[in-house]
Amino acid sequence: MPALGQVLLDALKTHGAGEIFGIPGDFVLPFCRMIEDSATLPFYTLSHEPAVGFAADAAARFHGGLSVAVVTWGAGALNLVNATAGAYAERVPLVVISGAPGLHERASGWQLHHMARTLDTQMRIFTEITCAQANLLDPSAAAAEIARVLRAAREYSLPVYLELPRDLVTAGAASVTPLPPRRADPEALAECAGEILARLAAAKQPVMLVDVELRRYGVERAAAALARRLGLPVVTTFMGRGLLSQGPDVIAGTYLGAAGQPAITRLVEDSDTPLLLGVILSDTNFAVSERKIDMRRAILATNREVRIGHHVYPDVPLADLLDALLARAAPAQRAGQQFPPPRYAHGLAADAAPLTPSDIACAVNDLFAAHGPMPIACDMGDCLFTAMEIANSRLVAPGYYAGMGYGVPAGLGVAVATGERPLILVGDGAFQMTGFELGNCRRYGWDPIVIVFNNASWEMLRVFQPESRFNDLDDWGFARLAEALGGRGMRATTRAELAAALAEAHATRGRFCLVEAMLPRGTTSDTLARFVAGFKAARLRLANDG
Ligand SMILES: Cc1ncc(Cc2c([C@H](C)O)sc(CCOP(=O)(O)OP(=O)(O)O)c2C)c(N)n1
Ligand SMILES: [Mg+2]
C-alpha cells in the first residue's frame, strides 16, 4: 500500500490543487520531506504563517481550484487562523494541513510542546472556520476521510482542515477515489430555472449583479453568455471587482452605492428584478446603498441555494443553475441598455505636483495601456479603493473580510498561480505586517512590482476618527529596505517621479521592484472619499430611521 502522506498528496493533485505553501515544524517535518522529495506539487516556504495562508488563498482564487497551506501543530497552525477565517468569509477553498503529535505522543499523557490546552483544541478552533475536517488517526479510514473533506472544499468553495499525526505519514493507506460531485435535483432545477426566466422576461429593468462565487466555481463565461442572451447589464459588487474582465462588452461597472457612479447605482437600486449571482450580502458590498435592494423581488443564487423572494431552492450548485438557464433561455427581445464603458483616468501629468492615491491609479492605467494589464494583488486600505479606479483587471483583495497584510503574500501566490508578473498595491501600515515576505522573492525568482502607498499613517482610520494621534505612523523608508531584501527600491514624491519609477520598475526583471509612493497625510483616493461620505450618510439615515 502507498504511504498515507503520498496518498494525501496524490489526492490534493487529483482534486485540483496547484501548489503547496508552508512553514515546517517538528510535527510536520516527515510530511514536508515527502512533499519535497515526491515533488507531487510544487512547495514554497515563506516566513510567517499568515503569509502562507494569504499566498495559498490568492493562488486558489486565481486558478479557481484548491490551494494548500501546510504548517506545524499549535504555534504554526494557530498563526494561520486569521488567514483561514478570511478565506472562509470570502469563500476560498483553502486546504489547511497541520502536522500533529504521533499516536504514541497522544497516549503519553504529557502536556506536549505547542499544545495550548488539549490535544483537540486546534481541531475545535478550525472546525469553526472550515466546512469539513478530519483527523487522520486511522490510516485504514484515511482515504474515505480525505475524499469527503476535499469534495466539500470544492463543492462549498470553503476552507477545510486535515490533521496528520507525524508518525503516520509513512503508514500504508489506500489511495483516494474522488467522490462524485453532488448535482442539483433535475426537477427542482428545471422548476427553478423556469421561474427565474419567467421573472426576468416580465421585468422592466432587470440587472445581473455578480460576485466572487462566479470565479470560485469557474462560471464567469457562462454568466457572461447568459447576460448576452438575455440582454442583461452586468454589474460587479465591490468584492467582485475584476470579474468578467474577459467580457468587457457585458460589464456596466462596479456597484459602490453612494460611492459609485450614479448611473450604476440607479441601475442596481431601481431594478425591479435584480439577479444576484454568487453574491455575498455583506456590508462592504451594500452598506453604502442609497436605497436597499428590494430582496422581495430579488433572485439570489449563492452558497448552493437559490432564494427567490421568500422561497428557497436548496442544494443548487451555481454551475448547474447557469447550465439550466442557458439551456432554456431564449434570446431576449430586450434591447440591452447601452452603458458607456467605465471611464478610467489616463495620461498622468509628469509634473512636480505632490502625489494623491488617484494619481497612482492613473499612472497604473498608463502603464497597462503601454505594456498590457498585470494581475493585481491588493491589500486593505486606501490602496483597495484606489484599485477601483484602475481599468478592470484581474484582482484579488480581502474586499469583505478586510484583513490587512494580505497584499504582498497574495502577490506571491498570484505569481505562482499565474506564472505572470503581479502588481502589488499595499499601504505602509499593511506593509509593516507582511511586506518583508518579499525577501523570499529571490530564491523563487519572483519579481513583482510593489507600489507602497506611504502616507506614514493609518489613513483609513483617520478619515473615520481624525482626532486620534495613534494614526500617525513613522516613515520607515521602505525603498531603502527593498535593497536589503534583494529587490530594487525607488521613492517617488511627485507625479513625474512616480511615472519614471514605474517605467523603471517595469523595465527591471528578475528582482522585485518596490515603488514607494509618498502621499501627504490627509489625502485619500476619490473613491474612498465618496465611500466615507456614503457610509456616514447611510449611518445618518439608519439613525434617523430609528
Ligand atoms: C489585520 C488587521 N488589523 C487591523 C485592521 C483595522 C484597519 C483598517 C480597516 C478599516 O479595518 S484600515 C487600517 C489602516 C491601514 O493602514 P495602511 O495599510 O497604511 O493603509 P491606509 O493608510 O491607506 O489606510 C487598519 C489598522 C485591519 N483591517 N486588519
Ligand atoms: Mg497608510
Side-chain angles (χ1 to χ4, degrees), residues 125-139:
I125 290 169
F126 276 92
T127 297
E128 189 58 25
I129 49 177
T130 56
C131 69
Q133 315 80 23
N135 192 339
L136 302 178
L137 294 164
D138 174 1

Side-chain angles (χ1 to χ4, degrees), residues 105-112 115 119:
E105 296 166 286
R106 292 176 66 91
S108 70
W110 293 112
Q111 282 287 112
L112 302 174
M115 185 155 99
L119 286 167

Side-chain angles (χ1 to χ4, degrees), residues 428-429 453 455 457-459:
D428 59 311
F453 290 52
N455 46 25
S457 166
W458 284 330
E459 200 59 28

